[in-house]
Amino acid sequence: MLASDSIGKVHKALFVAFALMLAAAAAAYLLEPRHYLADDMAPMHLDQVAPQRIGDWQEDPAGRVVVADPQLQSKMDAIYSQSLARTYVNSKGQRVMLALAYGRDQNSESTAAHRPEFCYVAQGFLINKVGPKAVAFPAGDVTAMRLVAAVGPRTEPIMYWVTLGTHTALPGVQRKIQQLRYGLQGQIVDGMLVRLSSVGTDTQSEYALQEAFARDWYASLSPQVRPRIFGS
């Protein structure tokens, strides 16, 4: 009788364990994001988002924008749906470089936009992290990460941010929170890396120039597209 009771308890424990495993598997399946948020929005075309002319700025085809080395570029191509790099010059001869990388799937660290630091280090630059800065726009501030990249005589102040859907974030805790928020809603969020840079040793003046360009760019965008670049 005791042996029979023991066998019954073991069978019951095994049944409960099996039921819990099934429940966990079902929950994981139900919570796995499947809907692409980008499918609910207008298609993204980076050459239209960043046209050859923006206000007083026009593209300088001879401008140099730092891009990834071939090995890193192949990895980035697997993540991003589109990328674009342009150098703009204004009537004063001032230049700002813009690099954009857009991906339909930004839900995990393996598919999310890479930090610009990686591209610059791969090209031989030394990176000094200045820190985040809130940049004011009419719809609200965008927190941008600021860096200074240097190689030989070239000093390149940089600022960048990431959008997830219509929210801006920086790689790290901010981005993970947004990824989790969209994931719990069953959505695969799209996103974009926005990087601005210019060449000069007066870093504060270069950052001010980049912010001035960003505000002109903001003003040129339609209300439908603007939140996907600058958040809402």
Side-chain angles (χ1 to χ4, degrees):
M1 189 71 174
L2 291 176
S4 177
D5 288 344
S6 298
I7 293 173
K9 289 179 180 179
V10 170
H11 286 171
K12 183 177 181 180
L14 289 174
F15 176 80
V16 171
F18 182 69
L20 290 173
M21 289 172 61
L22 286 178
Y29 177 82
L30 292 173
L31 291 174
E32 182 182 354
R34 289 180 177 79
H35 179 71
Y36 283 89
L37 187 63
D39 291 341
D40 298 333
M41 300 182 179
M44 179 61 66
H45 300 290
L46 294 186
D47 57 342
Q48 297 176 13
V49 169
Q52 293 178 318
R53 180 175 290 275
I54 298 174
D56 185 41
W57 302 85
Q58 63 180 5
E59 184 185 11
D60 176 10
R64 176 193 171 195
V65 179
V66 171
V67 296
D69 70 283
Q71 184 175 3
L72 182 57
Q73 185 65 50
S74 65
K75 295 179 181 179
M76 293 170 65
D77 289 342
I79 295 174
Y80 301 128
S81 308
Q82 301 176 54
S83 60
L84 178 75
R86 295 196 198 276
T87 296
Y88 291 90
V89 58
N90 64 13
S91 58
K92 298 179 182 178
Q94 298 169 308
R95 284 174 168 76
V96 169
M97 292 168 281
L98 171 66
L100 301 175
Y102 171 77
R104 279 171 52 85
D105 182 352
Q106 295 288 298
N107 261 44
S108 69
E109 290 304 305
S110 62
T111 61
H114 284 183
R115 298 170 187 258
E117 293 93 317
F118 299 151
C119 295
Y120 279 84
V121 170
Q123 299 296 322
F125 283 81
L126 296 176
I127 296 293
N128 176 39
K129 183 174 287 188
V130 178
K133 163 77 184 302
V135 182
F137 294 97
D141 292 353
V142 172
T143 300
M145 180 59 70
R146 298 190 299 173
L147 315 167
V148 176
V151 60
R154 182 184 178 95
T155 300
E156 188 172 335
I158 305 159
M159 71 175 186
Y160 73 88
W161 65 88
V162 172
T163 61
L164 294 175
T166 57
H167 294 82
T168 59
L170 291 176
V173 175
Q174 284 186 9
R175 181 164 65 182
K176 289 179 181 177
I177 290 173
Q178 292 295 344
Q179 288 170 335
L180 179 62
R181 187 175 71 84
Y182 280 104
L184 290 175
Q185 296 174 21
Q187 296 176 327
I188 299 173
V189 66
D190 68 338
M192 188 178 308
L193 169 68
V194 181
R195 188 186 86 203
L196 296 166
S197 65
S198 51
V199 177
T201 55
D202 185 345
T203 56
Q204 294 307 312
S205 294
E206 298 304 325
Y207 287 133
L209 179 65
Q210 294 167 25
E211 291 183 17
F213 170 84
R215 292 189 181 97
D216 288 343
W217 183 28
Y218 178 98
S220 74
L221 292 171
S222 69
Q224 291 74 30
V225 173
R226 193 179 292 148
R228 301 177 74 180
I229 311 296
F230 295 94
S232 59

